[in-house]
Amino acid sequence: MDKKIPLTGFTSTALHAGHEDDPRGSHITPIYATSTFTFDNAEQGMRRFAGQEDGYIYTRWGNPNFTEAEKTICAFESFGITDSNGAPLQLKAFLHASGQAAMTTLFLASLKQGDTILSHYSLYGGTHELLHKVLPPLGIDVIIADLRDLNAAEAVIKKNPGIKWMHLETPANPTIQCVDIAQLAALARQNGMGVSVDNTFATPYLQQPFRYGVDFVFHSTTKFLNGHGTAIGGVLIGRDIDLMNTKFTKWYRLLGGNSNAFDAYLLSLGMKTLELRMERHCHNAMEVAHYLDGHTNIEKVHYTGLADHPDYATCAKQMRHAGPMMSVELKGGLQAGKKFIDKLQMCTRAVSLGTADTLISHPASMSHFGVSKEEREKFGITDGLIRMSIGIENVQDILADMEQALER
Ligand SMILES: Cc1ncc(COP(=O)(O)O)c(C=O)c1O
């Protein structure tokens, strides 16, 4: 095969970076629906187990469909980024069964009894519960602070020397708050802490946390990376290749949160069009935000593409566009919100996000049901908040559906 020309565009990267030619000439990588892989002889099996020869062994440890998706995601997250020597940034990823599984591998491999995690006070409900319910019995504590205030973050770190980790989710689910990755990563480094970023809402097309020196990025690939709502999945990506090849490989294999060939195949198909979809999602979201912002029945639109959003500047600093996600509060609170959701005729009533169609959900009773009302309200998740994942339909149809659903 001729040496490949350097890929300079995001979609060229999406289509070619992770792909390896199939020995039988299949254009699209086939689905390797196999639990195990054969060896030519015992010696080869031994060499593979000893890491002396590349090759697959057992799907919990790796599979060609995982490799393809992992390579594409690494190419996305490192796109256009160089390391301290000016060489293209090297990353390694592990494809998981879900975003939650990727997060579990990350936290269990990185933290031990006596450690504390510092995080922002608006997080996906499952992350909030993992930090508050699963980790504390293992002796790992969590402190939640408003990390949009750098002085407050500094003060919390000074007061709590046990903080070993900073976990960021930006934009955050469902309030769309953004925190400054560059400033917080620098603060974490000064204090010897590790930093992880949940990049699910933004995707690497809109935001690349590795630009700011963070240690790990993860995604629920269930969302925009897959793009079509066809599979649950997650990915954990790290920049310390030695650590990823040793401890993280071990923990990934032992915890057993791996993906499967079919879901990985669906993810690879979806990622081919990430740039095109995100451009359309973001364009539509901006139009919807402007429309709702001026509507008499809307109390508040939380969208970081609107100049009056408190995190507008942070979003503009680190994201290509403000993204497809927004939340809104209707005049009339919960009752008005329920009525609006029930009247929708085209937009889809469902949790999750990142599918091609517009998804509308009610965080307090759905994605954040497991978070107490008191905590939800402290974080800005009011009972009347409606979350919208704006799709790639023709925008006039999204607006028309919202218009008729908002009529009183
Ligand atoms: C921001 C964010 N992170 C993580 C997750 C968990 O991902 P999964 O449902 O794939 O386990 C979600 C799910 O909604 C999410 O929105």
Side-chain angles (χ1 to χ4, degrees):
M1 187 76 190
D2 291 337
K3 197 167 174 290
K4 296 234 165 78
I5 57 162
L7 301 173
T8 59
F10 195 90
T11 294
S12 316
T13 301
L15 295 175
H16 299 286
H19 185 73
E20 272 185 34
D21 291 337
D22 178 67
R24 292 209 167 103
S26 173
H27 172 214
I28 299 297
T29 305
I31 302 168
Y32 285 82
T34 181
S35 56
T36 195
F37 296 83
T38 58
F39 309 126
D40 292 341
N41 49 50
E43 197 55 45
Q44 187 185 49
M46 289 173 194
R47 283 198 306 275
R48 287 199 186 165
F49 266 88
Q52 293 158 348
E53 179 186 299
D54 284 343
Y56 296 96
I57 296 174
Y58 185 59
T59 280
R60 174 155 51 79
W61 290 27
N63 174 292
N65 295 106
F66 302 3
T67 307
E68 177 163 25
E70 288 164 351
K71 283 190 173 165
T72 304
I73 293 168
C74 287
F76 283 165
E77 287 290 355
S78 62
F79 184 72
I81 308 179
T82 49
D83 65 16
S84 52
N85 301 317
L89 181 68
Q90 298 299 307
L91 298 172
K92 183 168 171 68
F94 293 113
L95 206 62
H96 283 75
S98 64
Q100 290 301 108
M103 211 179 313
T104 302
T105 301
L106 170 67
F107 290 146
L108 292 189
S110 306
L111 297 161
K112 58 179 188 330
Q113 191 178 13
D115 289 347
T116 299
I117 305 183
L118 174 63
S119 194
H120 182 60
Y121 75 1
S122 174
L123 292 171
Y124 165 59
T127 309
H128 183 92
E129 289 197 74
L130 188 87
L131 294 179
H132 286 85
K133 295 178 181 161
V134 177
L135 297 186
L138 304 176
I140 300 162
D141 283 332
V142 58
I143 295 178
I144 301 289
D146 186 350
L147 298 183
R148 290 170 301 174
D149 179 346
L150 198 66
N151 293 331
E154 223 170 338
V156 172
I157 293 169
K158 282 223 168 72
K159 221 172 113 194
N160 298 279
I163 298 177
K164 293 284 161 11
W165 203 264
M166 188 185 283
H167 174 65
L168 309 177
E169 181 182 311
T170 181
N173 187 350
T175 56
I176 329 295
Q177 290 173 1
C178 291
V179 296
D180 189 320
I181 307 174
Q183 284 187 350
L184 289 166
L187 179 66
R189 265 199 309 277
Q190 283 158 23
N191 289 279
M193 296 156 54
V195 188
S196 50
V197 178
D198 183 338
N199 205 22
T200 300
F201 268 36
T203 82
Y205 178 63
L206 300 182
Q207 171 175 281
Q208 293 173 295
F210 285 114
R211 283 193 186 279
Y212 313 107
V214 309
D215 301 293
F216 294 93
V217 169
F218 75 81
H219 290 267
S220 165
T221 61
T222 315
K223 313 293 170 11
F224 295 100
L225 289 182
N226 170 295
H228 302 80
T230 52
I232 298 285
V235 68
L236 174 62
I237 313 135
R239 71 185 304 151
D240 182 338
I241 301 294
D242 284 344
L243 189 68
M244 293 302 273
N245 282 337
T246 52
K247 185 173 184 183
F248 274 78
T249 297
K250 191 52 126 189
W251 285 76
Y252 170 68
R253 291 174 175 180
L254 291 177
L255 290 173
N258 56 280
S259 182
N260 67 79
F262 186 51
D263 288 355
Y265 163 86
L266 292 171
L267 174 61
S268 286
L269 289 191
M271 289 194 295
K272 290 177 193 292
T273 53
L274 182 66
E275 175 179 4
L276 306 183
R277 287 186 285 106
M278 292 309 284
E279 284 291 338
R280 174 77 163 236
H281 279 295
C282 293
H283 169 82
N284 284 357
M286 189 60 98
E287 297 231 350
V288 170
H290 281 302
Y291 162 75
L292 292 175
D293 197 36
H295 199 287
T296 49
N297 292 339
I298 295 287
E299 185 71 46
K300 182 90 196 120
V301 178
H302 303 276
Y303 186 59
T304 47
L306 297 179
D308 66 349
H309 191 285
D311 303 333
Y312 174 81
T314 307
C315 167
K317 178 179 164 192
Q318 62 198 19
M319 288 176 69
R320 190 192 290 262
H321 306 302
M325 300 299 300
M326 70 186 70
S327 52
V328 298
E329 286 168 61
L330 272 72
K331 286 185 185 153
L334 178 60
Q335 287 316 316
K338 274 167 72 178
K339 211 164 146 206
F340 167 74
I341 291 181
D342 288 348
K343 281 178 80 181
L344 288 166
Q345 293 176 23
M346 182 195 74
C347 299
T348 308
R349 284 176 285 273
V351 289
S352 200
L353 52 123
T355 58
D357 54 331
T358 298
L359 296 187
I360 312 271
S361 67
H362 178 238
S365 66
M366 299 174 186
S367 56
H368 290 69
F369 179 69
V371 181
S372 72
K373 183 174 163 72
E374 190 196 344
E375 279 181 294
R376 281 199 313 263
E377 294 199 336
K378 202 161 68 191
F379 309 151
I381 308 166
T382 58
D383 280 352
L385 196 75
I386 307 281
R387 191 185 72 186
M388 302 183 172
S389 168
I390 303 300
I392 61 171
E393 296 97 340
N394 301 91
V395 71
Q396 70 273 17
D397 293 323
I398 304 175
L399 296 177
D401 196 19
M402 291 190 178
E403 174 79 24
Q404 65 79 26
L406 281 168
E407 263 169 32
R408 296 232 167 122

